[in-house]
Amino acid sequence: MVMKKLFTVILPAAGNSTRFALGDKLLTEINGRSILQRSVELFTTRDDVAAIILATAPERFAVYEDHLKKLLHGKSLHIVAGGRERWESVHKALFCGQAITDFVAIHDAARPLTPNAVIDAAFAAAIETGAALPLLAEPATLKRVDSAGQVTATVSRSGLYQAQTPQCFNTKLLQQAFIQAVEAGTLHGVTDDAQIVEMTGKPVRATTGSAINIKITFAEDLQLADAILHANRSGAALQSASVQAAFDSVIRTPESGVKP
């Protein structure tokens, strides 16, 4: 585990949980602890993390602060107003005056099960290279579909990866990349932080992600998270086969969210 350099962790959490459809997604519990609590405590128990910055809607400030105060383990918590898009929330947090460590890690607040090994690898690579993110090789056959719902092509998955978090950066490097993107007006459509660094031409190191590092988006994802936690508690090995079995029990379609 990286010990000498300190990170500030930014959690963008200003979304409305529209696709989740069961209220505030981050306050939803999985085995007695909320998604937000689990995501935050991934980092507050680490010696290489100095502070947490949570970017969310102002009406949630007091609720989230109270929700997290017993889980900080001596780390400081700063809550700032988020934006309409993810990059806006990260931008506000990054420039709020509290990201004073050498490195920052941006983590999806709805990824509560990230393995320590994934975090360790991303932190270490960011310290070595300045920018890093976990990636998971795309396992699915990919189809391109037109507006009429007709399949138009099969897309090769060779060389394609799913971006995960935490995405980790030298703080000054990421701040400068944001400044350049704002000045150039190129932030529209940006969906992750590494993309902003990529636009500057700076290299971004790929580190190993995990199938366990799921992002809770739909209500049905809670079933998968519960299965992973149950396997972990029972001492079952979380190998690819057991994770795939959990995925197979929660198969979604774009239309309904759940396969009949």
Side-chain angles (χ1 to χ4, degrees):
M1 181 184 293
V2 179
M3 301 295 284
K4 295 181 180 179
K5 301 289 185 178
L6 292 181
F7 280 75
T8 296
V9 178
I10 294 172
L11 292 101
N16 293 321
S17 305
T18 304
R19 290 175 292 178
F20 188 71
L22 292 177
D24 189 334
K25 172 175 66 179
L26 297 182
L27 296 182
T28 302
E29 291 189 354
I30 307 172
N31 281 289
R33 294 168 62 208
S34 73
I35 292 170
L36 181 61
Q37 288 173 326
R38 290 183 179 277
S39 295
V40 167
E41 204 165 20
L42 290 171
F43 301 96
T44 57
T45 53
R46 296 181 64 97
D47 291 334
D48 49 5
V49 170
I52 304 291
I53 304 176
L54 187 65
T56 191
E59 61 269 20
R60 301 178 195 160
F61 281 14
V63 174
Y64 283 3
E65 183 175 17
D66 183 68
H67 193 61
L68 297 172
K69 62 185 179 183
K70 295 182 180 179
L71 303 174
L72 297 177
H73 300 279
K75 307 297 192 292
S76 59
L77 173 66
H78 309 283
I79 304 181
V80 301
R84 294 181 60 184
E85 297 186 48
R86 186 183 188 278
W87 71 261
E88 292 180 281
S89 293
V90 174
H91 183 272
K92 288 173 180 288
L94 189 62
F95 289 96
C96 75
Q98 300 298 330
I100 59 176
T101 52
D102 291 341
F103 297 89
V104 291
I106 295 91
H107 187 65
D108 296 327
R111 287 190 193 270
L113 305 180
T114 310
N116 285 331
V118 171
I119 301 173
D120 290 345
F123 276 27
I127 289 173
E128 180 183 351
T129 68
L133 79 159
L135 296 175
L136 184 68
E138 174 56 57
T141 297
L142 302 174
K143 302 288 184 177
R144 182 171 286 112
V145 179
D146 63 20
S147 59
Q150 300 299 313
V151 174
T152 61
T154 299
V155 180
S156 172
R157 66 189 179 198
S158 176
L160 294 182
Y161 292 79
Q162 299 174 13
Q164 298 185 337
T165 67
Q167 300 190 5
C168 306
F169 309 91
N170 176 282
T171 303
K172 292 181 179 178
L173 173 66
L174 184 59
Q175 287 175 332
Q176 187 58 43
F178 260 105
I179 290 170
Q180 291 181 27
V182 169
E183 291 176 348
T186 54
L187 284 167
H188 178 71
V190 166
T191 56
D192 81 342
D193 316 292
Q195 187 178 354
I196 299 169
V197 174
E198 290 164 26
M199 291 190 297
T200 70
K202 303 289 186 181
V204 178
R205 172 73 63 83
T207 61
T208 302
S210 170
I212 298 169
N213 190 16
I214 64 170
K215 183 178 181 182
I216 307 296
T217 301
F218 299 93
E220 292 77 18
D221 293 330
L222 296 173
Q223 299 174 40
L224 176 56
D226 183 77
I228 292 171
L229 286 171
H230 178 75
N232 191 39
R233 285 198 315 273
S234 64
L238 290 174
Q239 303 299 328
S240 58
S242 60
V243 173
Q244 186 60 53
F247 270 112
D248 290 343
S249 69
V250 194
I251 302 174
R252 292 189 298 269
T253 63
E255 294 79 10
S256 66
V258 183
K259 185 176 180 179

